[in-house]
Structure formats: structure tokens, C-alpha cells
Amino acid sequence: MWLEILLASVLGLVIYWFVSRDKEETLPFEGGWWGPGARPTSEEDESIRPFKVETSDEEINDLHRRIDKVRLTPALEDSRFHYGFNSNYLKKIISYWRNEFDWRKQVEVLNRYPHFKTKIEGLDIHFIHVKPPQLPSGRTPKPLLMVHGWPGSFYEFYNIIPLLTDPKNHGLSDEHVFEVICPSIPGYGFSEASSKKGLNSVATARIFYKLMLRLGFQEFYIQGGDWGALICTNMAQLVPSHVKGLHLNMALILRNFYTLTLFLGPRFRGLFGYTERDMELMYPLKEKIFYSIMRESGYMHIQSTKPDTVGCALNDSPVGLAAYILEKFSTWTNSEFRDLEDGGLERKFSLDDLLTNIMIYWTTGTITSSQRFYKENMGKGFMADKHYRMKVYVPTGFAAFPCELVHTPEKWVKFKYSKLISYSYMARGGHFAAFEEPELLAQDICKFVGLLERQ
């Protein structure tokens, strides 16, 4: 008992020392060139070009030919999703994809919003830019950059965009109306992949900042989850004076002393600032954090070390690609879905939406380049880069979805994001928040912006 009190006291003093020595830092703003060959001596073409998603009979016929030749391994009895994607349910996905899924129709859905491309640091960067259809008199829209992660895409935001750009016609308050920009990370979907090593989250943040400047925005809001959360965090560390506010639904906060309090949390909950809800989401520790990380991080080890190897297989087999990606949309949405024969996929998503995301990877052949993003960010060692140790001094809002892979308590978020002004325990939802619970996420973004602008 006394030993535990002593350990807790020492730990508290160490935390206080680290917090009290706080000083504002920014990441150095460097340049980059990621295109093929040597950097041209001429000025980069900064024009913004309209873009449309297209398909062809040849593309669809090739997909069908490959699906028809699929070779599956029988699932183990009663294995459900504990061994990965269950091949019994995969047969249903394959049948729907081959016989009912209409890619031409989904291409029309994708083109519902305006698409563009522009060259930045040698790469063709793809983005959608959606302006409000109408604005209340005397109002201007608030620019909002939204960044996806892996294995998602810009398509994750299609259902949240109208809630942000046209809230009144979708049952929400029009106190805040946004102009939404959703880029594709380089090497994902329609954004060109780097030809050179080293394009990480900081370089991507710099590229997206240049995109916002090119669109005429000097100040703007940013939002992200998964890699998008890290990219947006890096942007706030690079150019804090240009970021009006940062909203996240995930945060990578492992290098701080609060993580050591996990072991003492049940006995000293109040001392470490944990709420009852935090305790529900984090304990029992062995199951909800350690076993969860072990079960769900195998892909990360592969992609952080040798992404090109597994990429060869996934880029050659549409069914293999679908199984690899859709497994994440099962267990990352709710870890309990691994106990279901169908992985619970259709409880939260439609097959059309899931397969459209798959098709963005398949038709562009970008699964390998998307996986390289792990190598570029983690290849030097887990969280080795300086920005992981740096704090963020931009006003921040955080939405804690209960089925996220690992829960992040408010105290942890506040440790890194010093100007945290909004922290919400969300009623439901998991890792793919915008895709799964667009209304909840839209409401929390508006809540954060309202609190910030009333300060």
C-alpha cells in the first residue's frame, strides 16, 4: 500500500516537471521534391485542373476475369473472424461484387462532388472541393480540410460533407457552414505516389498546407483520424498561425508519462484524472489494450518493414485486396464483430460503400504505395521522429469514439494538445468515424468550432 502511494507520488512529480517545462516549438518548414528523376529547374505548374473519375469496359472485364479465377481456402469450423476474414462470408462479397455491384453507377456517385488535381512538390495531388449550395445572408463558409487514413480514402467523407456544407437541409443547425476540402494522401487513390523514399506525415502536412494556400485560404480548420490525425497534427506543428482549429477523432499519444499510470489507474483513478467512462473503456487493461494491440497490429509490422512484398499479392488479386481491407472495416469498427460469422460489416456499412472504397485502391493500383506510408513513418523505429515528442499549441477538439482501437483519455490528449478546449465521449462508433457515424462527427466538429469562436 505505502509503496504504491510512493510510486504514485513520484510519478506525479515527474509528470508535473515535464508539464511545467513546457515551451512552444514548431516543426521546421522544409522543402521537398517527390516526383521522378531530378527536380526541374523551371517553376512548378501551380494550376488547378478539374478531374473526373472514369472507368472502361476493359477495366471492368479485367476485374471480373480475376474474380472468376479466385481460389479460396475453406474457413475453419466456428472460426468466425478470429482468423481474419472468413472465406464463407467472403463468398457472399465476391458474388455481390461480380454480379450486382455497379461500378459505373458508383463512378457517378464519386463524381457527385467536384474533383481536382494540382502539382505540389512534384506530385499530382488529388482532392475534392465542396462549397455550400447556399449560405445565410452575410455569412461566409469556414474552410475545413479533412484528411483520411489507411485503408480508407476521400470517399469516407461523402456522407458527412452535406452535413457540413448544407446543414439546414439535413436537419442540423446552420450556425456553422463549411467549405470542405478532402485531399488524397500521396500514393493513395488518385494522388500520385512518391518516386523517392521519405515522404512521411510531415511532408504530407506541408503538401496539404501548400494546397490550402493555393486555394486561397490563409487560415482554416483541419480534421482527421488515423493517418489524417497525424497529418493534421503535423500541420498544426508546422504552421500553427494558419490553423484556426484542429479537430481529431484519434490521437497517437504514447510517449508521455501518463501511459505509465495505466497500471495504477484502478487504485488511483482520481489522482490521474481518469473518469468512470475512461475506466470502462480501458479496463481490464490486458484485454482492452494489450491483447487488442497484439490482435490488430500484425498488418502494421508488415507495412512498416516490407510493404512491397505483401503489396505484390494485393495489387494482383482483387479478392485478396478486399479481404485484407474489409477485415479492418470489421474489427476496427467494433472489436466484438470478430465473434460474428459475417464480421458485422453490413451492420454499419453498405456493400456498395465498402466496395467503392476497395475499387479506389484497385483501379488506381495504389495499395502498395499506400502501405509504404507506414514504412516512411515508422521505418526509423516506433515513434522515433521529433514531432511525436512535440506538443501542439493550436486550439483542439477531440471526439473519443467508444470502439476506437485504443481509448485516449482527456488527460492524455491534454498533455500533447495544450489548448484542448473540447473533449467528447461519443455515444457510439469506432475507427472510421466519418464513414460510420457522420452525423455524430459533424455535430462534434460544430460544437468545437462554436466553443472556439465564442472564446
Side-chain angles (χ1 to χ4, degrees):
M1 175 68 178
W2 289 109
L3 179 60
E4 290 173 336
I5 293 173
L6 178 62
L7 286 172
S9 301
V10 170
L11 192 55
L13 288 171
V14 171
I15 292 170
Y16 175 78
W17 180 73
F18 267 84
V19 171
S20 63
R21 61 196 286 267
D22 207 6
K23 65 174 184 176
E24 292 197 19
E25 279 186 282
T26 57
L27 284 172
F29 193 92
E30 300 168 344
W33 175 263
W34 310 102
R39 183 171 190 163
T41 54
S42 58
E43 290 291 317
E44 189 165 68
D45 177 10
E46 295 188 357
S47 63
I48 296 171
R49 314 180 309 277
F51 170 78
K52 285 194 78 172
V53 182
E54 296 179 339
T55 188
S56 64
D57 289 340
E58 182 183 7
E59 183 176 75
I60 295 170
N61 290 339
D62 176 66
L63 171 71
H64 289 170
R65 178 180 61 81
R66 291 169 185 264
I67 290 175
D68 289 341
K69 290 183 176 294
V70 68
R71 185 175 63 176
L72 298 179
T73 302
L76 293 171
E77 295 176 6
D78 196 34
S79 60
R80 292 162 285 175
F81 265 57
H82 287 275
Y83 282 69
F85 205 102
N86 188 292
S87 60
N88 291 330
Y89 179 62
L90 187 56
K91 292 173 185 175
K92 177 185 176 180
I93 300 281
I94 294 168
S95 175
Y96 184 85
W97 199 0
R98 177 64 176 84
N99 302 308
E100 298 178 59
F101 179 75
D102 188 343
W103 176 229
R104 290 189 185 279
K105 178 184 174 184
Q106 293 308 112
V107 164
E108 292 178 9
V109 171
L110 290 175
N111 287 322
R112 186 172 72 210
Y113 296 131
H115 293 247
F116 303 90
K117 284 191 176 185
T118 189
K119 281 277 186 186
I120 304 177
E121 298 192 7
L123 298 178
D124 241 354
I125 300 301
H126 161 263
F127 63 99
I128 56 174
H129 185 179
V130 187
K131 298 180 181 181
Q134 57 189 12
L135 275 169
S137 178
R139 299 267 295 279
T140 56
K142 308 173 198 296
L144 172 64
L145 177 78
M146 303 189 79
V147 186
H148 67 89
W150 187 92
S153 65
F154 66 92
Y155 184 62
E156 289 179 70
F157 301 116
Y158 265 50
N159 289 332
I160 196 174
I161 285 172
L163 306 181
L164 297 167
T165 58
D166 191 18
K168 191 170 185 179
N169 285 327
H170 291 84
L172 301 178
S173 166
D174 64 354
E175 180 185 0
H176 305 289
V177 181
F178 297 90
E179 181 172 346
V180 179
I181 300 91
C182 302
S184 296
I185 297 171
Y188 286 66
F190 302 108
S191 276
E192 186 179 357
S194 175
S195 295
K196 296 173 173 59
K197 296 184 291 184
L199 193 147
N200 60 11
S201 61
V202 176
T204 305
R206 186 179 64 240
I207 288 170
F208 288 170
Y209 164 65
K210 291 179 179 180
L211 170 64
M212 294 301 280
L213 291 185
R214 194 168 294 181
L215 291 171
F217 302 118
Q218 290 293 324
E219 288 187 311
F220 43 87
Y221 291 97
I222 54 180
Q223 199 285 329
D226 196 85
W227 282 129
L230 183 58
I231 292 165
C232 289
T233 294
N234 292 158
M235 195 182 298
Q237 293 167 325
L238 277 167
V239 288
S241 62
H242 293 266
V243 178
K244 292 186 72 173
L246 166 67
H247 186 279
L248 304 173
N249 54 277
M250 182 180 176
L252 293 170
I253 308 172
L254 295 178
R255 295 191 69 156
N256 76 67
F257 280 92
Y258 279 111
T259 55
L260 301 177
T261 67
L262 281 171
F263 301 99
L264 296 169
R267 287 181 177 271
F268 301 99
R269 191 191 87 190
L271 177 65
F272 300 130
Y274 293 149
T275 66
E276 285 188 23
R277 186 60 174 146
D278 290 330
M279 302 302 288
E280 291 170 3
L281 295 171
M282 293 194 299
Y283 296 90
L285 195 64
K286 188 185 293 185
E287 172 60 31
K288 294 202 173 177
I289 293 186
F290 295 116
Y291 286 172
S292 175
I293 290 173
M294 287 295 292
R295 272 193 302 263
E296 298 301 330
S297 63
Y299 81 99
M300 186 186 298
H301 294 282
I302 294 171
Q303 294 172 193
S304 299
T305 53
K306 298 181 180 179
D308 286 26
T309 305
V310 67
C312 289
L314 300 177
N315 199 45
D316 192 57
S317 168
V319 175
L321 178 68
Y324 194 73
I325 288 179
L326 294 183
E327 179 226 303
K328 308 308 179 195
F329 279 88
S330 167
T331 51
W332 292 4
T333 297
N334 189 325
S335 62
E336 293 180 1
F337 284 176
R338 67 181 181 272
D339 293 326
L340 304 175
E341 293 290 340
D342 63 358
L345 275 170
E346 294 174 75
R347 295 190 177 196
K348 291 291 186 130
F349 311 107
S350 72
L351 290 183
D352 279 346
D353 281 343
L354 291 170
L355 288 170
T356 297
N357 183 63
I358 300 298
M359 288 295 287
I360 290 170
Y361 281 91
W362 175 255
T363 58
T364 59
T366 52
I367 186 60
T368 303
S369 52
S370 75
Q371 292 175 157
R372 287 176 182 159
F373 206 61
Y374 285 81
K375 174 77 168 178
E376 304 299 3
N377 284 289
M378 297 180 173
K380 299 175 186 174
F382 185 61
M383 305 188 87
D385 290 314
K386 179 184 178 182
H387 63 82
Y388 287 112
R389 301 185 294 276
M390 288 175 55
K391 296 193 177 187
V392 176
Y393 300 94
V394 163
T396 303
F398 190 85
F401 284 86
C403 295
E404 182 56 273
L405 289 166
V406 176
H407 174 64
T408 311
E410 183 176 356
K411 281 285 186 180
W412 294 21
V413 179
K414 183 81 171 176
F415 183 85
K416 184 174 181 70
Y417 301 87
S418 299
K419 295 183 179 178
L420 181 71
I421 63 170
S422 172
Y423 181 97
S424 306
Y425 294 101
M426 308 305 287
R428 60 189 178 275
H431 186 71
F432 303 98
F435 206 31
E436 181 190 348
E437 296 290 349
E439 187 169 339
L440 287 182
L441 183 61
Q443 289 171 341
D444 200 68
I445 292 169
C446 292
K447 169 190 164 185
F448 161 64
V449 171
L451 287 171
L452 175 56
E453 294 189 351
R454 285 193 292 271
Q455 283 188 342

